[in-house]
Structure formats: C-alpha cells, structure tokens
C-alpha cells in the first residue's frame, strides 16, 4: 500500500492575505519544497490573492525564485551507460562485502566518465505499492566507496540535495529492507 502524506504550507505568515504580511523568501520556499516533496509528501502551498483578487508581485517573485533554485538542481540529467541489479532471498548471500537480509537488493549505475551530482531524486513505481523501507546510496569517490545518503521509505519521491557535488562514475543503491521486490 501507499500512504500519501500532505504538507499544507502558506507563502505568507497567515493563511489569508493581509496587507502587512511577510512573504517567505525563495530560499525558504525551496527548502520547504525539498523537505516536503523530497521526503515523500504532497506539497500544498497556499498563495492567497490580495483584496483586489490578484496575487501580489512579491509573492510571484518569491515563487519564481523558488522555481529557479529547484530548476538549478536538475539542469542536467545524468543517464548511466549500464545498470546492474542483484536480489537476494536469504541473508547468507554476499555481494561485494554486503550481507543483505531477506528482501535486500542492490542496483549499480555505471557512467562512462566521472559525473558531478548535486542532487539525487528517487521514486518508487507506486502501482506496485510503497515497498522500500530502508536504503543507502553509495558512490565511488576517489577510488573508494563512500556512503552519500541513506533513509527509510522512498514512496512517491525522495530527494537528496548535496551542498558539495559528488563526483563519481558509479552509484550504488542498497535496498536494505523492502516488502518484496522494490520497483
């Protein structure tokens, strides 16, 4: 099953328009986007019209600034040259040093040259339900495996934004716990 969450947020201090209300900055809105959408939640942002029925310019400016920040994190999508997967049915199997429990899986993404990653965006195919319950993301950095992200569920979407880009030619997703095969 998939259990959707919803985050209801307002762009201003109050739910409805008030003349002296303070508008959230583009950076604050982008942070809200990444911590809500990027943590498996639907994001409902209340943008109230003023007393003339119009969205104010400062609200529009903050929204467009948020869009610019989010868009910068996906300026260039990176496609692997190959993908390798391994799945295990019992904890006795070993994959390059990993001992995985029941329903543990690994996906390796290979790139033809070293790529720079500022953001990793993961989604499950929810027509098969929300299955992943624990996972890690590893990258080969300077010739050694390095843990770059980990979390519990993925669901609709999990977004990791890195302050400093990760430079690698191989990413590994270790699904440590999943209700049946992850999709």
């Amino acid at each position: 099953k998939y259990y959707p969450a919803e985050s209801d947020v307002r762009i201003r201090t109050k739910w409805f328009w008030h003349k002296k209300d303070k508008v959230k900055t583009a950076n604050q809105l982008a942070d809200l986007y990444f911590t809500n959408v990027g943590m498996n939640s639907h994001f409902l942002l209340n943008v109230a019209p003023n007393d003339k029925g119009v969205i104010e310019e400062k609200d529009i400016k903050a929204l467009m600034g948020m869009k610019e920040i989010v868009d910068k994190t996906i300026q260039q999508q990176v496609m692997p040259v190959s993908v390798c997967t391994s799945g295990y049915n019992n904890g006795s199997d070993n994959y390059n040093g990993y001992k995985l429990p029941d329903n543990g899986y690994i996906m390796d993404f290979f790139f033809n040259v070293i790529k720079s990653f500022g953001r990793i965006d993961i989604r499950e195919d929810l027509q098969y339900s929300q299955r992943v319950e624990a996972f890690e993301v590893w990258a080969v950095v300077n010739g050694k495996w390095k843990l770059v992200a980990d979390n519990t569920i993925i669901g609709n979407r999990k977004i990791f934004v890195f302050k400093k880009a990760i430079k690698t030619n191989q990413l590994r997703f270790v699904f440590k716990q999943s209700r049946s095969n992850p999709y």
Side-chain angles (χ1 to χ4, degrees), residues 111-169:
F111 306 94
N112 54 355
V113 295
I114 292 184
K115 302 284 187 175
S116 184
F117 293 87
R119 168 179 166 171
I120 294 177
D121 194 332
I122 312 164
R123 293 177 166 204
E124 286 188 76
D125 185 344
L126 297 177
Q127 72 180 348
Y128 299 103
S129 79
Q130 178 176 296
R131 295 183 175 193
V132 175
E133 295 179 329
F135 71 98
E136 298 173 338
V137 182
W138 293 78
V140 174
V141 178
N142 297 323
K144 295 181 181 173
W145 284 105
K146 177 182 177 185
L147 178 67
V148 295
D150 64 336
N151 216 295
T152 55
I153 62 168
I154 296 171
N156 185 53
R157 197 166 196 182
K158 189 70 70 177
I159 301 173
F160 297 101
V161 179
F162 305 107
K163 291 184 193 278
K164 184 178 178 189
I166 298 161
K167 296 177 191 264
T168 187
N169 64 347

